[in-house]
Amino acid sequence: MDNNNLQDNVVFKFKDFEYKRPDIGEIKKVILEQREALINASSTDEAYDTYARISSSFDEFDSMATICSIRNSINTKDEFYEKEIEFLQENSPVLEEALVEYKKAFVESKFRSELEDRLGKYLFQKYENDLLTFKSEIMEDLIEESKLSTEYQKLSASCEIDWDGEKLNLTQIGKYTQDADRAVRERATKEVANFFNTNCDKYDEIYDKLVHVRDKMAKKLGYKNYVELGYKRMGRVDYDANDVKSYRDQIVEVVVPIATELRKRQAKRIGIEDMKFYDESLQFKSGNAKPHGGLEFCLNNAKKMYSELSPETDNFFNFMIERDLFDLESKPGKAGGGYCTYIPKYQSPFIFANFNGTTHDVEVLTHEAGHAFQVFNSRDYISEYIWPGMESAEIHSMSMEFFTWPWMNLFFENDEEKFKFSHLQGALLFLPYGALVDEFQHYVYENVDDTPEMRRAKYRELEKKYLPHRDYADIDFLDKGGFWFRQGHIFGSPFYYIDYTLAQVCAFQFWKKDRDDHKSAWESYLRLCKAGGTKPFLQLVELAGLENPFIDGTIKKTMEPIVEYLNSVDDSKFQ
């Protein structure tokens, strides 16, 4: 089904994208009517038409919800969009309830075989999985979960740290945590820790409520705990928690020792014998690589980069620029982090970020552009196939970071090699942290009655397993396990975080392929992007010619060329 909703050659800029509160009652009515029409359908075409009508209705709803969410995250203090978010949170579960009834009729349709031929078997696999994640009994719980996640986002966005007469949010102070002056790094790190410590009770309360409401939903749906439900909600149909545990074990065995040696090498490089947590962000004594310009500089160079990378990326990036589909500047009241989302009505990706003058600016721009490029290439699929699963989607973003390496001189000039070394090393160092976050969440949802203090103690215990080098010095709040408060995925997207590591392992493989044969590697990447979400994770991995991260030995094989490259670099020259 063609999902093209664009008006003829009209270029709408994001500021002109209209937001109108969705008519929840009308959408629910459409769903229920189409369910009856599906049950009474006398031909495949009639059955298919019910799907098409519901898809059209939901595209409009999703567009409004996405525009609302973007504008709320751009300014969390905007009262209009704050109220709209509250409305959507309170009323959207009504649609989920009706949609579940339609999906049930759809997978049981007497025309299923013909519909599978037209829409693909994977759609039915996705719907059958969805049916295992919802009953009307959990509607109020879903509303509460959504409100609590928003409460976490608002609490973190409220951060205003006094810094030499300036008010800084969590992103803005980030550049000081990697300052070349150790005293500045320590002070900035302590300021961030103090914000979370001051609000410790609030974070504990929000998370405790989230854990219990999710556990309650799982029990209502017949699951042993939220781990089982969480995997279903993530749409994981071709691997389970046992596969993930074996994968984490590979990281502990193979990557943790490499990471520990890299930290020792870093300490020597920056001339510090007693490496502390607040030293970890500084890669070089002379300071980390930074883009040699601000927002406009980065966007202009990105335009040049994507025009030269391929005709496809040139077309994509011009589309984004013409429509102002970015909000990249960090400012007061803006939600933290970065993301890419998609607005079906305008067939437009949107990139949200918080630039702070560090390496992060280039990394987040190329990362989110990878997401946007993928969805731009698969936007004509049916709604369920536009995005792949999270672990698959992150392959596009993380691999794009590496495919753009030949243009890093545009951003970093004579610091290009400095950037590449820290970028590749940072990606490797991330793997143990990502696995730590995942194991922590498994523990939490298997031990829901733990106190907040017990959770923090468990997190610190796991830190010593995955990050044995980490020394918080005299920052007591962090030494007692409080670091995870700033990891929004733990609050808002449980079990998502391991997806980044799975994708990173795949992206490392693309890095190797690209160095060996760019043309072949890019063709493989483009094939993956154009496949969208038409297949589950492991089938997409196979389509791209990548090796399965869950198979024992994949991590070791993937790490070998990375370590070889890092060892070949004389990092002493970066002083």
Side-chain angles (χ1 to χ4, degrees), residues 161-163 173 186-196:
I161 293 172
D162 289 317
W163 189 270
I173 200 168
E186 181 179 5
R187 176 188 164 201
T189 301
K190 287 182 174 179
E191 288 283 5
V192 172
N194 184 58
F195 168 77
F196 285 101

Side-chain angles (χ1 to χ4, degrees), residues 295-364:
L295 178 58
E296 290 305 314
F297 169 87
C298 287
L299 275 177
N300 288 336
N301 282 314
K303 187 178 189 313
K304 175 177 172 58
M305 173 176 72
Y306 284 121
S307 71
E308 296 176 359
L309 175 55
S310 75
E312 295 87 358
T313 52
D314 183 34
N315 179 41
F316 148 72
F317 208 72
N318 284 330
F319 179 94
M320 298 290 288
I321 288 176
E322 287 171 1
R323 291 158 177 77
D324 290 338
L325 298 170
F326 304 91
D327 193 285
L328 306 175
E329 184 181 7
S330 183
K331 45 191 177 264
K334 185 175 178 178
Y339 62 77
C340 170
T341 189
Y342 180 72
I343 307 162
K345 181 175 181 178
Y346 300 95
Q347 287 196 295
S348 295
F350 187 91
I351 293 175
F352 174 96
N354 280 272
F355 276 25
N356 63 358
T358 69
T359 303
H360 161 271
D361 296 352
V362 177
E363 291 173 343
V364 75

